[in-house]
Protein backbone atom coordinates (compact mmCIF):
# COMPACT_ATOMS: atom_id res chain seq x y z
CA UNK A 1 0.00 0.00 0.00
CA UNK A 2 1.27 3.53 -0.70
CA UNK A 3 2.27 5.84 2.11
CA UNK A 4 0.06 8.86 2.72
CA UNK A 5 1.30 12.44 2.81
CA UNK A 6 -0.53 15.46 4.21
CA UNK A 7 -2.68 16.20 1.16
CA UNK A 8 -1.90 13.41 -1.29
CA UNK A 9 -0.70 9.84 -1.42
CA UNK A 10 2.93 9.37 -2.39
CA UNK A 11 3.58 6.42 -4.68
CA UNK A 12 5.79 3.68 -3.26
CA UNK A 13 8.17 3.96 -6.22
CA UNK A 14 9.14 7.49 -5.18
CA UNK A 15 9.34 6.54 -1.51
CA UNK A 16 11.83 3.85 -2.54
CA UNK A 17 13.92 6.18 -4.74
CA UNK A 18 14.44 8.62 -1.85
CA UNK A 19 14.52 5.97 0.91
CA UNK A 20 11.90 7.90 2.87
CA UNK A 21 10.77 6.84 6.31
CA UNK A 22 7.04 6.63 7.02
CA UNK A 23 5.71 9.93 8.37
CA UNK A 24 8.78 11.90 7.30
CA UNK A 25 7.19 13.67 4.34
CA UNK A 26 4.12 15.38 2.94
CA UNK A 27 2.84 15.80 -0.60
CA UNK A 28 0.78 18.66 -1.95
CA UNK A 29 -0.70 19.33 -5.36
CA UNK A 30 1.41 21.88 -7.21
CA UNK A 31 -0.10 22.89 -10.54
CA UNK A 32 -0.78 20.77 -13.61
CA UNK A 33 -0.68 20.81 -17.39
CA UNK A 34 -2.61 19.23 -20.21
CA UNK A 35 -0.32 16.18 -20.14
CA UNK A 36 0.67 15.66 -16.50
CA UNK A 37 -0.22 16.16 -12.83
CA UNK A 38 2.37 17.72 -10.54
CA UNK A 39 3.12 17.82 -6.83
CA UNK A 40 5.51 19.28 -4.28
CA UNK A 41 7.14 16.77 -1.94
CA UNK A 42 8.64 18.00 1.34
CA UNK A 43 10.71 15.40 3.19
CA UNK A 44 12.93 15.17 6.24
CA UNK A 45 16.21 13.68 5.05
CA UNK A 46 19.19 13.43 7.40
CA UNK A 47 17.57 15.92 9.76
CA UNK A 48 16.97 18.55 7.06
CA UNK A 49 13.81 19.46 5.18
CA UNK A 50 14.26 19.08 1.44
CA UNK A 51 11.80 19.81 -1.34
CA UNK A 52 11.19 17.96 -4.59
CA UNK A 53 8.96 18.31 -7.63
CA UNK A 54 7.00 15.35 -9.01
CA UNK A 55 5.25 14.93 -12.34
CA UNK A 56 3.03 11.95 -13.06
CA UNK A 57 1.30 10.96 -16.27
CA UNK A 58 0.65 8.24 -18.84
CA UNK A 59 3.70 8.82 -21.08
CA UNK A 60 6.92 7.29 -19.78
CA UNK A 61 8.97 8.32 -22.82
CA UNK A 62 7.99 11.94 -22.24
CA UNK A 63 9.46 11.86 -18.73
CA UNK A 64 12.53 9.98 -19.94
CA UNK A 65 13.16 12.76 -22.46
CA UNK A 66 12.62 15.53 -19.92
CA UNK A 67 14.90 13.78 -17.41
CA UNK A 68 17.74 13.64 -19.95
CA UNK A 69 17.07 17.20 -21.15
CA UNK A 70 17.12 18.76 -17.68
CA UNK A 71 20.35 17.01 -16.78
CA UNK A 72 22.05 17.95 -20.05
CA UNK A 73 21.30 21.63 -19.32
CA UNK A 74 22.04 21.39 -15.58
CA UNK A 75 25.40 19.72 -16.19
CA UNK A 76 26.70 22.79 -18.04
CA UNK A 77 24.84 25.57 -16.16
CA UNK A 78 23.61 24.24 -12.79
CA UNK A 79 21.73 27.47 -12.05
CA UNK A 80 19.56 27.38 -15.18
CA UNK A 81 17.23 24.52 -14.20
CA UNK A 82 16.68 21.85 -11.55
CA UNK A 83 18.48 18.53 -11.75
CA UNK A 84 16.30 15.54 -12.50
CA UNK A 85 16.77 12.81 -9.91
CA UNK A 86 14.77 9.88 -11.28
CA UNK A 87 12.02 8.74 -13.63
CA UNK A 88 10.19 5.45 -13.89
CA UNK A 89 7.04 3.42 -13.53
CA UNK A 90 4.61 4.09 -10.71
CA UNK A 91 4.10 1.15 -8.35
CA UNK A 92 0.67 1.81 -6.88
CA UNK A 93 -1.22 3.08 -9.92
CA UNK A 94 -0.96 3.14 -13.69
CA UNK A 95 1.47 5.62 -15.19
CA UNK A 96 4.94 7.05 -14.81
CA UNK A 97 6.77 9.66 -12.75
CA UNK A 98 9.52 12.25 -12.99
CA UNK A 99 11.29 13.42 -9.82
CA UNK A 100 13.38 16.61 -9.81
CA UNK A 101 14.75 19.20 -7.46
CA UNK A 102 12.05 21.68 -6.49
CA UNK A 103 12.10 25.05 -8.25
CA UNK A 104 10.11 27.89 -6.70
CA UNK A 105 9.15 30.34 -9.45
CA UNK A 106 6.85 32.37 -7.20
CA UNK A 107 9.83 34.21 -5.66
CA UNK A 108 11.40 36.60 -8.17
CA UNK A 109 13.66 38.70 -5.95
CA UNK A 110 15.91 38.39 -2.93
CA UNK A 111 18.44 35.85 -1.69
CA UNK A 112 22.20 35.97 -1.93
CA UNK A 113 25.08 33.93 -3.22
CA UNK A 114 23.60 33.42 -6.70
CA UNK A 115 25.37 33.48 -10.03
CA UNK A 116 24.09 36.97 -10.97
CA UNK A 117 23.98 35.75 -14.58
CA UNK A 118 21.32 36.81 -17.02
CA UNK A 119 19.47 34.25 -19.10
CA UNK A 120 21.34 35.51 -22.16
CA UNK A 121 24.65 34.75 -20.43
CA UNK A 122 23.48 31.29 -19.40
CA UNK A 123 22.26 30.45 -22.90
CA UNK A 124 25.53 31.67 -24.39
CA UNK A 125 27.37 29.29 -22.05
CA UNK A 126 25.13 26.38 -23.07
CA UNK A 127 25.49 27.21 -26.74
CA UNK A 128 29.30 27.49 -26.65
CA UNK A 129 29.97 24.24 -24.78
CA UNK A 130 30.72 21.33 -27.14
CA UNK A 131 28.41 18.34 -26.93
CA UNK A 132 29.80 15.15 -25.41
CA UNK A 133 30.79 12.23 -27.62
CA UNK A 134 27.93 9.68 -27.54
CA UNK A 135 28.62 6.07 -26.67
CA UNK A 136 29.68 4.17 -29.75
CA UNK A 137 30.81 7.26 -31.67
CA UNK A 138 34.20 8.92 -32.12
CA UNK A 139 33.00 12.53 -32.28
CA UNK A 140 30.14 14.75 -31.03
CA UNK A 141 26.95 14.22 -33.02
CA UNK A 142 23.77 16.14 -33.77
CA UNK A 143 20.84 14.51 -31.99
CA UNK A 144 20.17 13.21 -28.49
CA UNK A 145 20.34 9.84 -26.74
CA UNK A 146 16.55 9.63 -26.23
CA UNK A 147 13.33 10.79 -27.83
CA UNK A 148 12.12 14.13 -26.49
CA UNK A 149 8.71 15.78 -26.73
CA UNK A 150 7.78 19.30 -27.79
CA UNK A 151 4.41 19.49 -26.09
CA UNK A 152 2.90 16.12 -26.99
CA UNK A 153 4.86 15.78 -30.24
CA UNK A 154 7.74 13.27 -30.18
CA UNK A 155 11.06 14.48 -31.58
CA UNK A 156 13.20 12.01 -33.52
CA UNK A 157 16.73 12.58 -32.22
CA UNK A 158 18.57 9.81 -34.06
CA UNK A 159 22.21 10.87 -34.32
CA UNK A 160 23.57 12.42 -37.48
CA UNK A 161 27.06 13.79 -38.18
CA UNK A 162 25.60 16.47 -40.49
CA UNK A 163 23.43 19.24 -39.07
CA UNK A 164 21.82 19.83 -42.47
CA UNK A 165 20.89 16.15 -42.68
CA UNK A 166 19.57 16.14 -39.10
CA UNK A 167 17.39 19.20 -39.63
CA UNK A 168 16.06 18.00 -42.99
CA UNK A 169 15.38 14.39 -41.96
CA UNK A 170 14.75 14.44 -38.21
CA UNK A 171 12.82 17.68 -38.05
CA UNK A 172 11.24 18.69 -41.38
CA UNK A 173 10.61 15.25 -42.88
CA UNK A 174 10.00 13.83 -39.40
CA UNK A 175 7.21 16.30 -38.71
CA UNK A 176 5.72 15.59 -42.15
CA UNK A 177 5.55 11.87 -41.29
CA UNK A 178 3.73 12.63 -38.04
CA UNK A 179 1.25 14.95 -39.77
CA UNK A 180 0.50 12.39 -42.46
CA UNK A 181 0.19 9.58 -39.91
CA UNK A 182 -2.41 11.58 -37.98
CA UNK A 183 -4.23 13.39 -40.78
CA UNK A 184 -3.48 11.53 -44.01
CA UNK A 185 -1.35 12.47 -47.00
CA UNK A 186 -1.08 16.12 -47.99
CA UNK A 187 0.54 16.34 -51.41
CA UNK A 188 0.93 20.11 -51.30
CA UNK A 189 2.61 20.07 -47.89
CA UNK A 190 4.80 17.14 -48.91
CA UNK A 191 5.94 18.97 -52.03
CA UNK A 192 6.65 22.20 -50.14
CA UNK A 193 8.60 20.59 -47.29
CA UNK A 194 10.39 18.31 -49.72
CA UNK A 195 11.61 21.31 -51.67
CA UNK A 196 12.75 23.11 -48.50
CA UNK A 197 14.55 20.01 -47.23
CA UNK A 198 16.29 19.25 -50.54
CA UNK A 199 17.06 22.80 -51.73
CA UNK A 200 16.87 25.43 -48.96
CA UNK A 201 18.44 23.39 -46.17
CA UNK A 202 21.61 22.48 -48.12
CA UNK A 203 21.95 26.08 -49.32
CA UNK A 204 21.75 27.63 -45.83
CA UNK A 205 22.92 24.81 -43.55
CA UNK A 206 25.06 22.64 -45.81
CA UNK A 207 28.33 21.15 -44.61
CA UNK A 208 31.21 23.34 -45.76
CA UNK A 209 28.95 26.40 -45.91
CA UNK A 210 27.42 26.96 -42.48
CA UNK A 211 30.18 28.19 -40.19
CA UNK A 212 32.65 28.59 -43.04
CA UNK A 213 35.69 26.34 -43.20
CA UNK A 214 35.45 25.50 -39.49
CA UNK A 215 31.85 24.39 -39.69
CA UNK A 216 29.71 24.22 -36.54
CA UNK A 217 29.79 22.06 -33.44
CA UNK A 218 26.74 20.46 -31.83
CA UNK A 219 25.70 22.15 -28.57
CA UNK A 220 22.81 21.51 -26.23
CA UNK A 221 19.65 23.56 -26.73
CA UNK A 222 16.54 23.80 -24.56
CA UNK A 223 14.50 22.99 -27.64
CA UNK A 224 11.18 24.60 -26.66
CA UNK A 225 12.23 27.92 -25.18
CA UNK A 226 9.62 30.66 -25.16
CA UNK A 227 8.49 33.19 -22.56
CA UNK A 228 6.18 30.63 -20.92
CA UNK A 229 9.09 28.26 -20.23
CA UNK A 230 11.37 30.74 -18.48
CA UNK A 231 11.13 32.72 -15.25
CA UNK A 232 13.03 33.74 -12.14
CA UNK A 233 13.12 31.40 -9.19
CA UNK A 234 14.99 29.40 -6.58
CA UNK A 235 16.35 25.93 -7.30
CA UNK A 236 16.51 23.28 -4.59
CA UNK A 237 17.47 24.54 -1.16
CA UNK A 238 19.28 27.63 -2.46
CA UNK A 239 18.08 31.03 -1.28
CA UNK A 240 19.42 32.69 -4.44
CA UNK A 241 16.97 33.82 -7.11
CA UNK A 242 18.13 32.93 -10.61
CA UNK A 243 17.05 33.23 -14.22
CA UNK A 244 15.66 29.75 -14.89
CA UNK A 245 14.03 27.63 -17.58
CA UNK A 246 11.85 24.53 -17.48
CA UNK A 247 10.00 21.97 -19.66
CA UNK A 248 12.92 21.39 -22.05
CA UNK A 249 12.90 19.23 -25.17
CA UNK A 250 16.63 19.19 -25.74
CA UNK A 251 18.96 17.97 -28.43
CA UNK A 252 22.50 18.68 -29.55
CA UNK A 253 22.01 21.12 -32.40
CA UNK A 254 23.17 24.31 -34.09
CA UNK A 255 22.98 27.07 -31.49
CA UNK A 256 20.77 29.27 -33.69
CA UNK A 257 18.10 26.56 -33.80
CA UNK A 258 17.21 27.81 -30.30
CA UNK A 259 16.92 31.38 -31.58
CA UNK A 260 14.40 30.37 -34.22
CA UNK A 261 12.08 28.89 -31.61
CA UNK A 262 12.53 31.86 -29.26
CA UNK A 263 11.70 34.39 -31.97
CA UNK A 264 8.75 32.39 -33.26
CA UNK A 265 6.85 32.69 -29.97
CA UNK A 266 8.29 36.02 -28.79
CA UNK A 267 8.94 37.27 -25.29
CA UNK A 268 12.63 38.13 -25.76
CA UNK A 269 13.52 41.69 -26.74
CA UNK A 270 16.33 43.15 -28.79
CA UNK A 271 18.45 43.87 -25.70
CA UNK A 272 18.39 40.16 -24.86
CA UNK A 273 19.72 39.15 -28.27
CA UNK A 274 22.26 41.99 -28.29
CA UNK A 275 23.76 40.69 -25.05
CA UNK A 276 23.61 37.09 -26.24
CA UNK A 277 25.37 37.81 -29.53
CA UNK A 278 28.07 39.87 -27.87
CA UNK A 279 28.98 36.69 -26.05
CA UNK A 280 28.27 34.31 -28.93
CA UNK A 281 28.48 35.95 -32.37
CA UNK A 282 26.16 34.95 -35.17
CA UNK A 283 27.34 31.98 -37.22
CA UNK A 284 28.98 32.61 -40.58
CA UNK A 285 27.62 33.58 -43.02
CA UNK A 286 26.19 36.33 -40.86
CA UNK A 287 24.23 37.89 -43.72
CA UNK A 288 22.16 34.68 -43.85
CA UNK A 289 21.33 34.79 -40.14
CA UNK A 290 17.77 36.07 -40.62
CA UNK A 291 17.09 33.42 -43.27
CA UNK A 292 18.36 30.66 -40.97
CA UNK A 293 16.21 31.89 -38.09
CA UNK A 294 13.17 31.88 -40.39
CA UNK A 295 14.02 28.35 -41.52
CA UNK A 296 14.25 27.16 -37.91
CA UNK A 297 10.72 28.41 -37.25
CA UNK A 298 9.18 25.81 -39.57
Amino acid sequence: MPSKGKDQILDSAIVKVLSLAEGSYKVQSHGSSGFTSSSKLSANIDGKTKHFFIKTGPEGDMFKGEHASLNALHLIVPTICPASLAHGILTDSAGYFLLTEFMDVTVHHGGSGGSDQTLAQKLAKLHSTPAPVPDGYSQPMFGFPVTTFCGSTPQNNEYKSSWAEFYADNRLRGILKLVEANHGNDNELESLLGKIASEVVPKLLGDGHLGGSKGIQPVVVHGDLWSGNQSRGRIGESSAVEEVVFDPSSCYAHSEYEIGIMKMFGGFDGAFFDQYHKLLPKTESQDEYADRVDLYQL
Side-chain angles (χ1 to χ4, degrees), residues 18-218:
L18 295 174
S19 301
L20 298 177
E22 185 174 354
S24 67
Y25 57 87
K26 63 179 180 180
V27 189
Q28 298 171 308
S29 177
H30 192 81
S32 64
S33 73
F35 315 111
T36 64
S37 298
S38 51
S39 307
K40 178 182 179 180
L41 166 63
S42 301
N44 187 302
I45 298 177
D46 298 327
K48 297 181 179 179
T49 299
K50 295 187 177 181
H51 305 287
F52 305 91
F53 181 69
I54 302 167
K55 283 185 178 181
T56 58
E59 297 292 339
D61 285 343
M62 183 180 292
F63 291 151
K64 184 177 182 180
E66 186 171 353
H67 171 84
S69 296
L70 285 169
N71 287 341
L73 301 176
H74 184 86
L75 179 66
I76 299 171
V77 183
T79 60
I80 199 171
C81 68
S84 183
L85 307 175
H87 68 94
I89 302 173
L90 293 169
T91 298
D92 307 313
S93 61
Y96 301 83
F97 74 90
L98 175 73
L99 175 69
T100 76
E101 294 178 308
F102 186 75
M103 185 166 68
D104 185 356
V105 295
T106 66
V107 181
H108 297 165
H109 304 283
S112 61
S115 69
D116 292 325
Q117 289 185 312
T118 65
L119 183 57
Q121 291 173 316
K122 293 181 180 185
L123 281 184
K125 174 65 175 176
L126 289 177
H127 294 169
S128 59
T129 301
V133 178
D135 291 342
Y137 293 85
S138 60
Q139 65 183 34
M141 303 289 286
F142 297 98
F144 208 56
V146 298
T147 299
T148 52
F149 287 73
C150 189
S152 60
T153 303
Q155 307 283 297
N156 174 15
N157 292 321
E158 179 184 353
Y159 286 122
K160 298 276 197 310
S161 60
S162 164
W163 170 243
E165 184 179 349
F166 180 90
Y167 189 70
D169 290 347
N170 295 45
R171 290 298 179 262
L172 296 181
R173 294 187 178 109
I175 293 298
L176 176 63
K177 289 179 182 178
L178 289 174
V179 170
E180 291 186 337
N182 292 324
H183 304 287
N185 291 346
D186 185 323
N187 292 333
E188 184 177 357
L189 179 62
E190 183 176 0
S191 176
L192 177 61
L193 281 182
K195 194 168 186 177
I196 293 172
S198 62
E199 297 180 17
V200 179
V201 169
K203 180 180 179 181
L204 292 178
L205 310 181
D207 301 337
H209 176 72
L210 182 64
S213 59
K214 293 183 179 180
I216 62 168
Q217 61 183 2

Side-chain angles (χ1 to χ4, degrees), residues 205-231:
L205 310 181
D207 301 337
H209 176 72
L210 182 64
S213 59
K214 293 183 179 180
I216 62 168
Q217 61 183 2
V219 298
V220 70
V221 297
H222 177 285
D224 189 19
L225 187 54
W226 61 293
S227 58
N229 281 348
Q230 63 91 26
S231 185

Side-chain angles (χ1 to χ4, degrees), residues 257-290:
Y257 175 62
E258 191 97 275
I259 306 304
I261 297 171
M262 294 170 71
K263 290 198 172 186
M264 177 166 56
F265 293 106
F268 302 92
D269 60 18
F272 177 96
F273 291 108
D274 286 345
Q275 183 184 33
Y276 172 86
H277 282 304
K278 283 181 180 178
L279 297 167
L280 187 63
K282 299 172 182 177
T283 304
E284 296 294 339
S285 165
Q286 293 194 11
D287 60 357
E288 293 176 346
Y289 172 81

